[in-house]
Amino acid sequence: MERSLKPSDLTEIPHQILEEAVRAGIEKDDSKRAGTLMHVDRETIYTKINEKFRNQIEFMDVKDAIKKYPWVDDYRWKIVDRDKDEYTRKVAEDFSGGYFIHVKENADITFPLQACLMMAQKEIEQKIYNIIIVDEGANVNIISTCVQHSRAKKASHLGITEYFLKKDSYLNFTMVHSWSEDTFVRPRSAAVLDDGAVFISNYLSLRPAKDVQMYPVAYCNGKSSKASINSILYGHTNTKLDIGSAAILNGPESAADMTSRAISRNGSEMILRGRIEAHDPTARGHLECKGLLLDEKSFIHSIPELIASKGGAELSHEASVGKISDKEISYLMTRRMSEEDAISMIIRGFMDVGILGLPSQLEKEVDRVIDLTADAS
Amino acid sequence: MYILRAENFGVRIGNRWILKDIDFRLKRSQIYVLFGPNGSGKTTIISAIAGLPGYEVEGKIFFDDKDITDLEIDERANLGISVAFQYPPEITGVKLEAILKRCLDKDPEDDFSESEMQMIESFKLAEFLNRDINVGFSGGERKRAEMLQMFFLRSELLLLDEPDSGVDVDTLKLMGEQLQKYIDDNEATALIVTHQGGILEYMDPKYACVLFDSSLQCFADPNRIAKELRQCGYQCCIQCNRKVTRPWNDH
């Protein structure tokens, strides 16, 4: 993408790029957003902040932020270890950009922020680094979509994200992955929560991918900090997903809940991990994982882990993996649904957006994204 | 004409005959009550009529003179047969609202009409619309939701499996009165399987019998059977078979 093409309005973005982004959940009318950023291949091609929120947020390419604010370095690689693995090392060496989001103290960002990271070139290895800082008392909803354009073959996406939630802040972060059958994906991310901070992290992956492995960690260090980590995964067409998350409860009365729904079909292999560690006697956590296996060619391995190092901590989990129940199908058929309609209602219900803890308007939007993707497959 | 006819009807699970070689007929605009001790196969009869899987059926079943013996569940439902399950399944993420709309043949984005909403409210289910069906519902809430679905389906033959077990008096009254009204208004027929007969207090059924020993026995007045059962249990009730005979087939 040439510099000279940098658009000032989303409508100026090449149609075939914008449409793919919209399909993955980007709102075309960015007046409905507090801000929009698009990074395509190795360049941020678009950033816009809604005038309403100009004084409350900073939203720009992370490379620009690093140049503009020396203090950003104080945050970089603070919670993700740059030597964790070959992927973190690759991004630490060189990255093309990513987003920098800074929500200022007590800001109430009533519209969601949106970001789209897209791979449009063949065989590209996209290396992204993102930072999100939510200052004391601020609250914000963010939708981040990662897309492989249908014309880009064999792309790989390495993405680091570090989230900092200050005292009494609220971050509702929804990540939508929309890959292709040959995409290789390695996100690495971590969040740290101060006193009273609330982090709701949602992950949706509904299209095929070749290989995705991620294991984000939330450190609930502050008193009464709370992480809610949810995912809806639809693995099909030989997709390999190794998806998990961990919550480390260090603060007094800190809490975590994790809810995931996974559907595996048509040769998909899924490993679903979840780990809650309680290191304070007043911490509590709950983990719930449900897997639905739609055929004999697919596979789900659910690994829930609970670790407590202090007496008094309350941790629990429930996990189930199975095929669609015949009784549920028969039940819906007595309500005049064909067998096929009954099965699709059960599958669609399984991907219930209600588990994500989204504000109602966003819930409707994300529900539509699921409809679009579910229809496409 | 009968809404339902069973001829040489038998149901088997594996090697065990739940029912063998029975004939019965149900008329329109009537309420039939089927009593029976635990494990006698009451649920099996309802399941076989509805076409639920897991049973081998012998003989023939006719709905409005149409042979439905080999029809699928949804084909029977489309003809007007519905079931209120004793233990309806919990379905993750499938909302009561979505199912009610399907029953009414509405699109998901359509709203309920005023009268539909009134019906939902009278069944005290308005606050459950956005809940996963049956998940965390109390016994009474499940039974009310089951009955409401039947009404929204505009069913002609309502098969109710223990609608009165585990529900409080208010719910019994509501369900009994609503069912009676539905039957009267729509010239529909209900076959109610019951253990105790609690719902009968709020309805006016004319026909009943007891399922015992793989056959239908004691075709007597429902309230009389219920009274006998309360007094001396099933063994005693079966004895009176000698005294009372009014098989439905004669009606």
Side-chain angles (χ1 to χ4, degrees):
Chain A
M1 203 68 53
E2 299 289 324
R3 280 265 166 205
S4 57
L5 289 178
K6 199 163 257 191
S8 60
D9 191 280
L10 266 183
T11 55
E12 292 167 21
I13 286 173
H15 183 73
Q16 72 272 30
I17 297 280
L18 186 61
E19 284 312 305
E20 293 261 339
V22 167
R23 202 159 62 96
I26 289 292
E27 170 60 58
K28 223 189 270 192
D29 177 2
D30 58 5
S31 68
K32 292 179 185 163
R33 292 290 180 255
T36 301
L37 181 146
M38 283 191 73
H39 187 94
V40 178
D41 294 329
R42 297 199 170 93
E43 190 186 3
T44 294
I45 61 159
Y46 184 81
T47 51
K48 194 174 204 175
I49 296 178
N50 192 319
E51 279 308 317
K52 272 189 188 173
F53 304 103
R54 181 159 295 283
N55 298 324
Q56 295 174 287
I57 45 178
E58 290 187 274
F59 189 21
M60 63 186 85
D61 185 85
V62 72
K63 287 196 159 177
D64 294 338
I66 291 166
K67 266 184 235 151
K68 194 170 174 187
Y69 302 117
W71 55 262
V72 172
D73 272 339
D74 297 341
Y75 289 90
R76 289 174 65 199
W77 299 105
K78 281 294 172 294
I79 40 176
V80 173
D81 178 2
R82 70 171 80 206
D83 287 319
K84 179 186 166 63
D85 57 26
E86 58 177 300
Y87 310 108
T88 53
R89 280 193 290 274
K90 268 188 176 176
V91 178
E93 256 166 45
D94 171 42
F95 61 99
S96 63
Y99 46 80
F100 168 81
I101 298 175
H102 178 203
V103 185
K104 295 179 182 172
E105 195 172 321
N106 293 324
D108 182 15
I109 312 300
T110 47
F111 290 12
L113 281 167
Q114 63 180 359
C116 176
L117 308 169
M118 184 183 290
M119 298 186 288
Q121 280 176 25
K122 280 182 192 165
E123 296 182 29
I124 188 171
E125 182 178 69
Q126 187 180 49
K127 287 175 281 190
I128 298 287
Y129 178 82
N130 306 310
I131 289 191
I132 298 171
I133 302 166
V134 188
D135 276 348
E136 185 170 336
N139 69 73
V140 65
N141 296 289
I142 300 171
I143 303 178
S144 172
T145 62
C146 301
V147 185
Q148 178 181 313
H149 196 286
S150 46
R151 73 177 181 214
K153 304 288 178 211
K154 294 185 184 169
S156 54
H157 171 92
L158 315 179
I160 311 297
T161 308
E162 293 184 279
Y163 308 81
F164 298 87
L165 284 83
K166 304 288 177 68
K167 187 167 181 270
D168 297 326
S169 64
Y170 170 92
L171 169 60
N172 190 317
F173 185 87
T174 299
M175 181 155 75
V176 181
H177 274 180
S178 183
W179 306 121
S180 295
E181 290 169 31
D182 52 10
T183 325
F184 177 87
V185 186
R186 289 292 182 269
R188 296 289 179 257
S189 60
V192 61
L193 283 70
D194 273 352
D195 291 355
V198 175
F199 179 40
I200 297 173
S201 169
N202 297 314
Y203 176 60
L204 283 92
S205 177
L206 306 166
R207 308 202 62 236
K210 184 178 173 208
D211 187 341
V212 183
Q213 190 262 319
M214 58 188 257
Y215 196 67
V217 185
Y219 297 94
C220 295
N221 291 346
K223 181 176 191 295
S224 302
S225 57
K226 187 178 184 304
S228 175
I229 304 171
N230 312 304
S231 55
I232 298 177
L233 312 170
Y234 187 15
H236 47 114
T237 328
N238 305 319
T239 297
K240 253 177 90 176
L241 299 180
D242 182 344
I243 306 282
S245 47
I248 316 295
L249 305 176
N250 292 323
E253 288 160 39
S254 58
D257 58 78
M258 293 180 183
T259 307
S260 60
R261 300 273 188 272
I263 297 175
S264 185
R265 73 184 293 189
N266 202 6
S268 168
E269 288 179 24
M270 301 174 106
I271 302 174
L272 310 168
R273 302 172 195 272
R275 176 186 179 107
I276 304 179
E277 291 183 25
H279 302 299
D280 185 280
T282 55
R284 60 197 156 76
H286 182 71
L287 194 159
E288 182 197 303
C289 174
K290 287 187 184 174
L292 200 56
L293 208 55
L294 295 190
D295 56 46
E296 307 291 320
K297 292 183 289 183
S298 305
F299 169 87
I300 294 179
H301 182 178
S302 169
I303 311 173
E305 289 182 277
L306 303 177
I307 295 165
S309 66
K310 297 282 192 299
E314 280 177 44
L315 299 178
S316 57
H317 80 76
E318 47 190 307
S320 64
V321 175
K323 67 182 189 80
I324 294 185
S325 130
D326 290 336
K327 186 171 179 190
E328 292 175 14
I329 297 171
S330 298
Y331 181 73
L332 295 179
M333 287 174 77
T334 66
R335 273 55 175 158
R336 289 204 192 134
M337 286 178 221
S338 66
E339 184 173 7
E340 202 174 282
D341 284 356
I343 290 171
S344 65
M345 188 176 216
I346 293 165
I347 293 174
R348 186 62 186 81
F350 201 77
M351 298 188 275
D352 178 15
V353 70
I355 67 165
L356 302 178
L358 292 166
S360 63
Q361 184 51 37
L362 263 188
E363 191 170 277
K364 275 188 204 130
E365 290 181 25
V366 172
D367 206 42
R368 212 178 49 231
V369 173
I370 297 176
D371 277 339
L372 283 173
T373 356
D375 281 355
S377 54
Chain B
M1 191 171 80
Y2 296 98
I3 189 165
L4 192 83
R5 246 176 337 116
E7 290 180 358
N8 306 113
F9 183 56
V11 189
R12 199 156 49 106
I13 302 178
N15 289 328
R16 181 178 164 232
W17 287 97
I18 306 296
L19 267 182
K20 210 170 169 175
D21 204 19
I22 61 166
D23 291 281
F24 66 87
R25 296 166 196 190
L26 308 183
K27 282 199 294 192
R28 281 197 175 268
S29 304
Q30 291 297 339
I31 296 168
Y32 296 84
V33 183
L34 178 61
F35 291 96
N38 287 334
S40 57
K42 303 188 294 295
T43 298
T44 305
I45 291 193
I46 280 189
S47 305
I49 297 170
L52 299 178
Y55 308 97
E56 283 177 64
V57 174
E58 282 213 345
K60 294 268 175 217
I61 316 174
F62 299 90
F63 179 83
D64 271 348
D65 276 343
K66 179 181 162 63
D67 184 351
I68 61 162
T69 318
D70 298 320
L71 294 189
E72 294 295 331
I73 308 169
D74 55 327
E75 294 172 315
R76 298 183 201 213
N78 283 325
L79 290 173
I81 299 176
S82 68
V83 194
F85 286 70
Q86 184 185 5
Y87 302 113
E90 299 177 354
I91 310 181
T92 301
V94 174
K95 311 297 175 193
L96 174 62
E97 178 171 353
I99 291 189
L100 289 177
K101 285 181 179 170
R102 286 299 290 256
C103 289
L104 288 163
D105 217 4
K106 281 178 182 289
D107 285 332
E109 56 273 15
D110 292 346
D111 290 324
F112 291 112
S113 72
E114 209 170 295
S115 64
E116 288 156 1
M117 210 53 224
Q118 274 172 12
M119 200 68 176
I120 292 166
E121 274 159 18
S122 69
F123 274 78
K124 297 181 202 137
L125 290 168
E127 62 195 87
F128 291 87
L129 287 174
N130 197 31
R131 293 261 298 267
D132 292 2
I133 185 130
N134 299 317
V135 176
F137 285 29
S138 72
E141 286 148 9
R142 286 177 190 218
K143 305 289 184 189
R144 294 201 299 269
E146 288 294 293
M147 185 173 281
L148 184 60
Q149 288 171 64
M150 299 182 122
F151 293 175
F152 279 3
L153 283 164
R154 312 302 302 161
S155 344
E156 295 177 48
L157 176 63
L158 293 76
L159 308 168
L160 297 108
D161 195 357
E162 307 244 8
D164 49 5
S165 68
V167 300
D168 60 35
V169 180
D170 291 344
T171 296
L172 273 187
K173 183 167 188 289
L174 169 79
M175 293 197 350
E177 288 172 357
Q178 289 279 2
L179 182 59
Q180 183 71 56
K181 183 172 184 305
Y182 181 90
I183 298 296
D184 295 344
D185 291 353
N186 297 281
E187 295 181 358
T189 296
L191 174 61
I192 303 174
V193 157
T194 182
H195 195 60
Q196 311 274 8
I199 197 171
L200 306 184
E201 271 189 56
Y202 305 97
M203 313 179 56
D204 185 25
K206 287 205 181 61
Y207 305 102
C209 68
V210 178
L211 175 62
F212 195 82
D213 206 13
S214 306
S215 64
L216 298 175
Q217 304 184 13
C218 192
F219 291 83
D221 173 71
N223 291 315
R224 178 171 173 177
I225 296 183
K227 194 177 155 204
E228 295 254 339
L229 287 177
R230 274 195 298 273
Q231 283 169 357
C232 60
Y234 274 101
Q235 276 305 332
C236 154
C237 173
I238 299 310
Q239 305 294 319
C240 94
N241 190 21
R242 282 178 240 118
K243 288 173 274 171
V244 185
T245 43
R246 199 171 71 181
W248 300 345
N249 291 359
D250 296 344
H251 68 248

